[in-house]
Amino acid sequence: MYDTGKIITGLVIFIAIVSFPFWGSFGGSTEAPKPVIKVSGQCIESADFMRANHMQLLDDWRNSVVRGDSATDRIYTSITYGTKHDKSLSSTGSSLVSSGEKQSCMSCHSNKEEFCDTCHDYASVKPYCWTCHIEPKENI
Amino acid sequence: MKIINPLLIVLVLIALAYAGVNAMGMTLLFGVVIPIVAFIVFLLGFITKVLSWSKSPVPFRIPTTAGQGKSLPWIKQAKLDNPSSTAGVLGRMALEVLLFRSLFKNTKAELTEGGMLAYGSSKWLWLGGLVFHWSFLLILVRHLRLFLEPVPALITFLEAGDSMFQMAFLPAFYLTDAAILLAATYLFLRRVVSPQIKTLSLPADYFAILLIIAIATTGVLMRYYYRVDVVAIKDLIRGLVTFSFNVPEGIGVIFYIHLFLVSVLAIYFPFSKLMHLGGVFLSPTRNLANNSRAQRHINPWNPDIKFHTYEAYENEFREKMKAVGLPVEKE
Ligand code: HEM
């Protein structure tokens, strides 16, 4: 009695599980996501800064806008360019920094699906911005 | 010494990856070559080891009777503790592998003030071990988001559950991250604080746990503190699993350190005590049904004995036996 048959069966199952990342990827795409930006011009910080820090920035904005009480808590000064901006993800109304309409993130990046979601889906990140904010419905 | 040396080895490994990537720019070596070699060594090493085990004969049934064995119909059998069927064995194995049931029966021995030997229950090792292994497994499964595209719903679901408290961190904090660090630290300290366990521990015991602590720590630092470009990392990993290797720019060195430590763990694995991952399934006291009385188990290395039965003996000597008046069975 050596039970070799049972051991080999177990090994085959083990190999199938361990190599799953390889055979589970057969025919899958190897394309890295390419977020689409519809408008030209620059963001409030450099693209590199935004790629690395946009989540932290938005989190800070939320905390200071929700919990802060003075008008300055609602204004952001760019580290890269020194320009002033309303801290706003998607709201509209009159601006605190200019005489016109408020500029929010979504005014330029209005295409959430082609912009935000490309990377977030790829990296399986689920930001909870849209549990409070109204999700842009660009496709409807 | 037996703690310092393994610690030094882990630190040197970290320094190696840091210097290799940061000073010498060997991202191809640390990002592609070493991980692929590590995977191959892990897989072939694991298979070779288990095949070598399969050459040992299975011992006779060892009824470690933590419960009543199968007996007369009116005596109640402890079906999970002393199974007599394959289903029962599967149940006992599942409880062992998933819940560490044997370890749950762990006891500690103490001398009381009066000099009496007393045994008590001791569940901390069981709890620490269970938390450690389960969080390790969940973290590994969650990592599949970096390997698969599109990310399967099951993994998204696990991530959502693991990060459901959305605690004070950005990105969302995983409960398993805290769990694995706490449990691994406990398992390490257990071997440091208690003099008895320290005596029993070998450098290899410290090395395995320190290496895993280092892997978890670099992972946690990468996610919550240094921050890395996960999209670029997934690009690299997708290259590995589809054999279209590429090394994107701009991945932080902390990722290469993490990956190098994991590669070392994978290479070390088949040659170490970590093979209990495969070995637990071959525990003879757990995976053999107690059916010795119902079924005949023949020793596999019994020599081929030539028997000379009485019948053959009598056939050979019948005439001579009759001649001297000995009784015979057949005339
Ligand atoms: C023994 C295996 C491994 C262990 C125990 C481990 C552990 C961890 C831990 C605890 C984290 C913190 C965040 C989280 O829990 O998801 C982490 C993050 C990470 N690990 Fe691992 N890891 C392992 C293998 C790997 C491998 C093989 C890769 C890549 C090929 C990898 C790449 C990463 C990356 C990119 C992150 C950062 C994720 C983020 O920033 O969101 N890990 N790891």
Side-chain angles (χ1 to χ4, degrees), chain B residues 85-245:
Chain B
S85 65
T86 307
V89 165
L90 287 179
R92 178 164 74 177
M93 283 303 289
L95 288 173
E96 187 63 32
V97 171
L98 301 176
L99 298 175
F100 307 174
R101 198 147 171 267
S102 300
L103 194 55
F104 192 70
K105 296 173 186 160
N106 192 29
T107 53
K108 63 166 187 286
E110 260 174 4
L111 278 181
T112 62
E113 279 166 28
M116 294 260 284
L117 184 59
Y119 292 96
S121 125
S122 165
K123 303 270 183 261
W124 286 109
L125 179 57
W126 170 79
L127 186 68
L130 202 69
V131 170
F132 170 76
H133 282 86
W134 272 105
S135 45
F136 199 124
L137 178 69
L138 283 173
I139 290 171
L140 274 187
V141 175
R142 276 203 288 94
H143 270 63
L144 284 177
R145 79 178 164 110
L146 303 166
F147 290 79
L148 302 175
E149 178 60 31
V151 180
L154 175 69
I155 290 165
T156 326
F157 173 76
L158 278 182
E159 283 178 321
D162 203 348
S163 62
M164 64 181 172
F165 290 126
Q166 304 183 344
M167 279 180 298
F169 289 87
L170 207 73
F173 184 72
Y174 289 132
L175 297 177
T176 46
D177 286 2
I180 197 171
L181 284 178
L182 283 175
T185 308
Y186 161 73
L187 293 174
F188 173 71
L189 288 180
R190 194 181 74 94
R191 290 185 185 274
V192 178
V193 172
S194 153
Q196 293 98 316
I197 302 173
K198 195 172 170 188
T199 308
L200 292 172
S201 299
L202 297 170
D205 295 320
Y206 295 104
F207 178 64
I209 191 74
L210 285 174
L211 186 59
I212 292 171
I213 290 178
I215 291 173
T217 310
T218 48
V220 164
L221 283 178
M222 162 163 46
R223 182 174 165 87
Y224 306 106
Y225 186 71
Y226 289 113
R227 301 284 164 77
V228 283
D229 187 341
V230 179
V231 170
I233 289 176
K234 182 156 182 180
D235 202 16
L236 184 150
I237 299 174
R238 290 291 297 160
L240 292 181
V241 293
T242 56
F243 304 105
S244 52
F245 311 110

Side-chain angles (χ1 to χ4, degrees), chain B residues 247-270:
Chain B
V247 186
E249 297 277 301
I251 299 179
V253 64
I254 183 82
F255 168 72
Y256 291 100
I257 297 177
H258 186 68
L259 190 56
F260 182 60
L261 294 176
V262 174
S263 305
V264 171
L265 183 73
I267 293 174
Y268 175 68
F269 202 98

Side-chain angles (χ1 to χ4, degrees), chain A residues 99-117:
Chain A
S99 49
E101 267 279 291
K102 192 189 268 183
Q103 285 284 306
S104 72
C105 303
M106 301 313 281
S107 343
C108 295
H109 306 286
S110 56
N111 49 341
K112 172 173 171 292
E113 268 176 36
E114 292 167 293
F115 186 75
C116 315
D117 292 351

